[in-house]
Amino acid sequence: MLSFAGTAQAGPPLICHTIEIGQAKSLPWISHSWNLSGGENYDTKNLVRDTLEILAPDTPVLVRMETLRRATLYARQDPVAAKELLARLHARATSAESSGHPDALAWFDVGYLAETYKQWLGQNLPHMTDGMRMDANPAAGVDGYALVKKALALRAAALHADDPQMEFAAALITLSGPQDEHRQHAQKAIAGAKTDSLLAQNLSARFIGPQTETMSQLFVKN
């Protein structure tokens, strides 16, 4: 079965490649590349409020992924907002849990944000972060993947089925391992993409290279 490792494009996988979300609303973005262009006039004082508004209960996982990616890029410019966003998402998840109604999407949001932070905040990446702030990463020590796995379990219990878009997110997080779990997430994402054209588009954009099979071949296999 396919392993995504080695076929993905270069760069931090949760940061350097946009998630295609169609016409869905996310944080403001004017750059034509993966990174901030320098011409943005977005006020990061609104980052926490705007991000929480977008991450509503009916927001698809792919939109959540792209929103959290953009939020991470903005957060490097504002360490106060970076810390507050992570804290607010964690508080939202724990509040739901303590009320007896654990929220899979809330746990996904805090876990996925923690993993994007780890790939960008406080990181010195040659030719990518030159001149950028080097503030400490507020997600240091947070096992975001464990929280995403918790979200996957809660989601599967609620839907009585796997969530392919969330499996795609988990596959991205585990590109560098653990490989057995990575393959399992990849298989479930590919299987679900048969009926999710936007997910299929994202899978194709991320993982099809000159030495890999085409998505159509993978769909036939699975």
Side-chain angles (χ1 to χ4, degrees):
M1 181 53 202
L2 171 73
S3 171
F4 286 174
T7 67
Q9 300 163 351
L14 305 185
I15 294 293
C16 288
H17 312 287
T18 60
I19 300 294
E20 178 57 49
I21 59 174
Q23 299 303 311
K25 178 184 177 182
S26 187
L27 292 170
W29 198 257
I30 64 173
S31 177
H32 294 295
S33 69
W34 64 270
N35 200 358
L36 299 174
S37 68
E40 292 82 5
N41 58 5
Y42 180 67
D43 188 349
T44 56
K45 291 180 180 178
N46 300 324
L47 181 63
V48 175
R49 181 200 66 195
D50 292 348
T51 303
L52 289 172
E53 286 181 356
I54 293 167
L55 301 178
D58 59 347
T59 300
V61 171
L62 290 175
V63 179
R64 305 179 99 85
M65 293 167 66
E66 176 61 13
T67 298
L68 293 169
R69 187 192 74 85
R70 296 181 188 186
T72 299
L73 290 168
Y74 283 126
R76 186 153 185 168
Q77 302 176 336
D78 189 335
V80 174
K83 186 175 181 179
E84 183 184 355
L85 178 58
L86 184 66
R88 290 284 297 276
L89 288 177
H90 187 264
R92 186 176 66 171
T94 55
S95 177
E97 184 106 346
S98 63
S99 71
H101 301 285
D103 186 335
L105 291 173
W107 282 119
F108 173 81
D109 291 340
V110 66
Y112 195 80
L113 182 69
E115 292 302 313
T116 59
Y117 274 12
K118 289 178 185 179
Q119 293 186 8
W120 195 243
L121 302 190
Q123 296 295 314
N124 184 15
L125 306 173
H127 312 300
M128 297 172 64
T129 59
D130 293 343
M132 291 186 180
R133 304 181 65 109
M134 286 291 291
D135 299 283
N137 177 8
V142 178
D143 189 345
Y145 176 50
L147 299 181
V148 170
K149 287 198 294 183
K150 178 175 183 173
L152 282 165
L154 290 169
R155 192 74 161 157
L159 300 175
H160 304 290
D162 296 316
D163 183 325
Q165 292 189 4
M166 201 176 284
E167 295 288 353
F168 170 53
L172 290 178
I173 291 171
T174 55
L175 271 169
S176 298
Q179 283 304 302
D180 286 344
E181 293 187 46
H182 169 73
R183 291 188 184 94
Q184 292 173 20
H185 295 310
Q187 287 176 332
K188 293 175 182 179
I190 291 169
K194 293 178 182 179
T195 57
D196 185 339
S197 60
L198 197 56
L199 175 57
Q201 183 177 344
N202 278 285
L203 284 165
S204 295
R206 288 301 190 92
F207 301 115
I208 296 305
Q211 296 180 347
T212 63
E213 298 169 283
T214 65
M215 287 304 298
S216 59
Q217 289 173 318
L218 291 170
F219 290 161
V220 168
K221 283 187 175 183
N222 294 279

